[in-house]
Amino acid sequence: MDERIWERPQWLDTAVFYEIYPQSFQDSNADGIGDIQGIISRLDYIQQLGCNALWINPCFDSSFKDAGYDVRNYCKVAERYGTNDDLVELFEQAHSKGIRVLLDLVPGHTSEEHAWFEASKQAERNEYSDRYIWTNSAFEGYNMPFIGGESDRNGTYILNFFKCQPALNYGFATIDKPWQDGVDSEAAEATRQAMIDVMRFWLSRGCDGFRVDMANSLVKNDGDDKPETIRAWQQMLGVVKSEYPDAAFVSEWGKPEQALRAGFDMDFYLDWRWDGKGNGYNLLARDVVNALDAEHDHSYFSARGGGSITAFLDDYLPQYEATRDKGYFCLITCNHDTPRLAPRLDERERKVALGMLLTMPGVPFVYYGDEIGMCYRDIPTKEGGYARTGSRTPMQWDGRANAGFSEASAQELYLPVDEESDAPCAEEQMSRNDSMWSWVHDVLQLRKNNDALHSGASFDVLSAEPDARSFVYTRSSQRGGESVLVALNPGLESETIALPENLNIAQGSQTPLLALGEAQVTDSALCLGAQSFAVFKLA
């Protein structure tokens, strides 16, 4: 199968996702850890904010050495979160409110405690002996992380990340050792079929699709263009989508041309920073080494340290143009692996930032708590989180003990709640029209009510100068009839942008559909005040 032959689900065009880190969202049974019933109890809040889809980080049985990304049983909910019946109830309750639910699939590795691995490490041959990647000797390694001396089997096994995460066997694109299986081997095919069965298991119970962890890393020794990993996904997603055509799949890949060709409906614009240099998304929102360092932050959204939008566009536009008709390249406010924007960016900077992030093409993803400005915090590691732990703290709901997250004692909480005097909470922010929550809500309402801001609407840059701070673009409905102009200026000085003669602001629409700060338009120019954002209707 060289090219995908299935359509992406139509519901994605109006989808807005809310990512939930389940252990930190809402605790319903006072054990200090969030759970599925807690998520169910907050569905009305998610709907009121303006989100109509969820992405839930791994909630399966796990040894929790990597916070659930070390799966012990793909088809069983972890006891800390509830039961399989609870998860099915979540699907049903969410669907009754028009909310779709994606689960988190970890296809590249399992926990070392998974039953498959327990069988694979036995000395005697069995049906799981080749489910993982083993060398031929306990003293033979490879140019990938490996572990030896842990089993009776005479071999070492390849790891994907932590010691607890043995890599599943999808074969090697290039074979240079006798113990390696090819991508068309029985062993690799058995692994692919096992993952198809996992997806079927949850889709048959009401799940609406999956976010797929490290989707580009399945086949070992694959080329930079990932031809064999793409082929593996085309097979697996081809089978699953033929049975569940309305299911949606988003990849943690970071190269949309590859991911969408593999069969995914969406790919994330990942936050990458290597050797001090960031990709487009990093330059846009997180161009600094220390997540708490506002002074040296040069990201575009930083009012004092930022520069032109052109560095972001140089990275973004080629990827967008290459894939605009093939699927969605998705922007995130943050995620469980990425530092939050606050407190490095202040509230006004974050409002401008989310204004843009939520009106760009693709399907937007809001990380829980970003809508109220929850802060990244420098706290000790938990369950393999390390520097990521600071973005995984409990949701701050109200002024009660533990910010309404849990009735357990503070010492029993999965992670400590932010106890700073100015820590935001949802209840207070929902009561104010000028709050971060209200701003996110209003942007999402505008997006919902305007076809021109839906995921697949076209996107064209109107103004992006290397010596300016402002950025102006248009979005136009694919169905025709609706177009909008989106303009922002994250800087501290006003800027005036000349408008093309053929650009017509709709009659009576000199007043923006939505605005933050000063934004005025005439027949020939647009004036943007400091730290401003605005959306105008076009004729």
Side-chain angles (χ1 to χ4, degrees):
M1 186 185 300
D2 294 327
E3 297 292 338
R4 55 178 292 161
I5 58 174
W6 48 89
E7 297 295 326
R8 60 182 178 269
Q10 292 186 359
W11 61 267
L12 288 176
D13 192 45
T14 55
V16 178
F17 278 88
Y18 191 83
E19 180 191 351
I20 291 176
Y21 195 65
Q23 50 266 65
S24 292
F25 192 60
Q26 180 68 70
D27 173 20
S28 71
N29 61 358
D31 66 354
I33 300 177
D35 47 51
I36 292 170
Q37 287 298 327
I39 296 173
I40 292 172
S41 73
R42 295 294 186 176
L43 288 174
D44 287 343
Y45 168 86
I46 294 163
Q47 184 180 49
Q48 186 176 356
L49 177 64
C51 296
N52 58 7
L54 300 179
W55 158 26
I56 300 174
N57 292 123
C59 56
F60 307 131
D61 181 43
S62 171
S63 53
F64 290 105
K65 295 178 181 178
D66 188 18
Y69 284 92
D70 49 328
V71 178
R72 193 162 53 192
N73 186 336
Y74 288 105
C75 298
K76 179 183 178 183
V77 168
E79 185 177 351
R80 61 157 61 165
Y81 301 132
T83 66
N84 285 19
D85 288 341
D86 289 326
L87 190 51
V88 171
E89 182 184 351
L90 171 59
F91 299 151
E92 294 171 348
Q93 292 290 334
H95 293 165
S96 73
K97 300 176 185 296
I99 298 172
R100 308 271 184 161
V101 182
L102 300 193
L103 298 180
D104 210 319
L105 183 68
V106 187
H109 55 263
T110 69
S111 165
E112 62 188 343
E113 297 177 14
H114 197 292
W116 295 346
F117 189 69
E118 291 291 338
S120 188
K121 69 182 184 181
Q122 293 176 11
E124 300 79 13
R125 291 284 301 174
N126 60 70
E127 64 175 306
Y128 298 106
S129 293
D130 299 325
R131 183 58 51 87
Y132 300 83
I133 305 171
W134 293 85
T135 70
N136 281 338
S137 168
F139 301 98
E140 179 183 4
Y142 195 57
N143 60 3
M144 298 173 183
F146 65 90
I147 292 287
E150 290 278 309
S151 70
D152 293 335
R153 179 170 178 166
N154 183 21
T156 63
Y157 58 91
I158 302 298
L159 301 173
N160 269 353
F161 298 102
F162 293 160
K163 179 261 181 187
C164 61
Q165 293 166 319
L168 286 165
N169 184 12
Y170 291 87
F172 282 70
T174 300
I175 294 175
D176 56 18
K177 296 291 182 180
W179 45 263
Q180 295 169 355
D181 293 307
V183 293
D184 294 320
S185 64
E186 291 184 7
E189 175 64 17
T191 304
R192 294 192 294 268
Q193 290 299 325
M195 209 50 58
I196 289 171
D197 288 342
V198 170
M199 290 186 275
R200 282 172 169 153
F201 181 89
W202 290 111
L203 290 168
S204 71
R205 286 159 175 77
C207 168
D208 296 293
F210 296 90
R211 175 267 190 186
V212 178
D213 180 67
M214 294 300 295
N216 62 339
S217 66
L218 300 190
V219 175
K220 304 306 183 186
N221 288 351
D222 209 357
D224 290 342
D225 53 355
K226 301 294 182 180
E228 294 301 336
T229 299
I230 288 171
R231 191 160 70 96
W233 278 116
Q234 286 177 338
Q235 176 194 345
M236 291 187 288
L237 292 179
V239 171
V240 174
K241 280 180 167 288
S242 68
E243 299 172 7
Y244 298 93
D246 213 29
F249 296 83
V250 56
S251 58
E252 186 187 28
W253 198 302
K255 293 187 176 181
E257 190 280 327
Q258 294 178 7
L260 301 181
R261 185 152 50 91
F264 288 93
D265 305 294
M266 307 171 276
D267 186 31
F268 285 121
Y269 202 174
L270 298 174
D271 182 37
W272 285 346
R273 189 175 183 86
W274 303 109
D275 296 327
K277 296 181 180 179
N279 69 342
Y281 178 81
N282 183 269
L283 298 177
L284 184 72
R286 294 173 175 83
D287 189 12
V288 69
V289 175
N290 184 339
L292 296 171
D293 184 2
E295 180 182 355
H296 300 98
D297 180 15
H298 295 292
S299 66
Y300 175 67
F301 293 131
S302 171
R304 292 166 178 80
S308 168
I309 191 67
T310 55
F312 163 77
L313 292 175
D314 287 346
D315 188 71
Y316 172 77
L317 281 176
Q319 299 180 82
Y320 169 74
E321 293 294 344
T323 58
R324 62 189 302 171
D325 298 321
K326 300 175 182 177
Y328 302 120
F329 194 24
C330 301
L331 293 169
I332 61 173
T333 64
C334 180
N335 70 19
H336 61 289
D337 288 334
T338 302
R340 293 188 186 270
L341 297 178
R344 176 175 47 81
L345 298 183
D346 65 26
E347 183 174 288
R348 185 59 173 255
E349 291 169 321
R350 284 182 279 111
K351 284 183 176 180
V352 175
L354 266 65
M356 176 184 157
L357 293 174
L358 298 176
T359 56
M360 287 284 284
V363 182
F365 283 74
V366 178
Y367 187 50
Y368 83 97
D370 280 356
E371 74 275 15
I372 60 173
M374 281 179 55
C375 290
Y376 176 84
R377 295 163 60 204
D378 185 10
I379 58 177
T381 185
K382 177 78 171 185
E383 293 184 349
Y386 298 100
R388 304 172 298 177
T389 308
S391 293
R392 301 174 175 186
T393 55
M395 178 64 180
Q396 294 152 207
W397 293 106
D398 52 45
R400 293 177 296 160
N402 299 326
F405 162 69
S406 173
E407 294 182 0
S409 67
Q411 294 74 25
E412 294 176 303
L413 299 186
Y414 174 76
L415 286 171
V417 169
D418 189 347
E419 295 183 348
E420 294 296 323
S421 60
D422 59 349
C425 73
E427 183 179 68
E428 188 276 333
Q429 290 212 6
M430 292 173 72
S431 70
R432 289 192 291 111
N433 291 332
D434 63 346
S435 69
M436 189 76 199
W437 189 95
S438 292
W439 173 250
V440 173
H441 169 270
D442 291 348
V443 174
L444 293 181
Q445 280 297 115
L446 182 69
R447 184 183 180 100
K448 176 183 178 181
N449 295 331
N450 287 268
D451 286 354
L453 290 173
H454 290 173
S455 302
S458 66
F459 165 77
D460 293 286
V461 175
L462 199 64
S463 178
E465 300 298 327
D467 58 351
R469 295 286 275 121
S470 56
F471 178 34
V472 184
Y473 52 95
T474 59
R475 302 286 315 280
S476 299
S477 170
Q478 298 284 44
R479 292 184 286 272
E482 284 196 10
S483 295
V484 297
L485 179 148
V486 182
L488 58 144
N489 172 19
L492 296 174
E493 303 293 334
S494 296
E495 294 191 3
T496 299
I497 300 99
L499 296 176
E501 292 183 1
N502 62 350
L503 185 78
N504 296 315
I505 302 295
Q507 187 173 5
S509 295
Q510 257 70 18
T511 300
L513 297 172
L514 180 71
L516 175 72
E518 296 297 323
Q520 297 180 337
V521 65
T522 66
D523 291 337
S524 60
L526 170 66
C527 181
L528 294 175
Q531 295 186 281
S532 60
F533 176 90
V535 181
F536 294 90
K537 186 174 183 179
L538 295 178

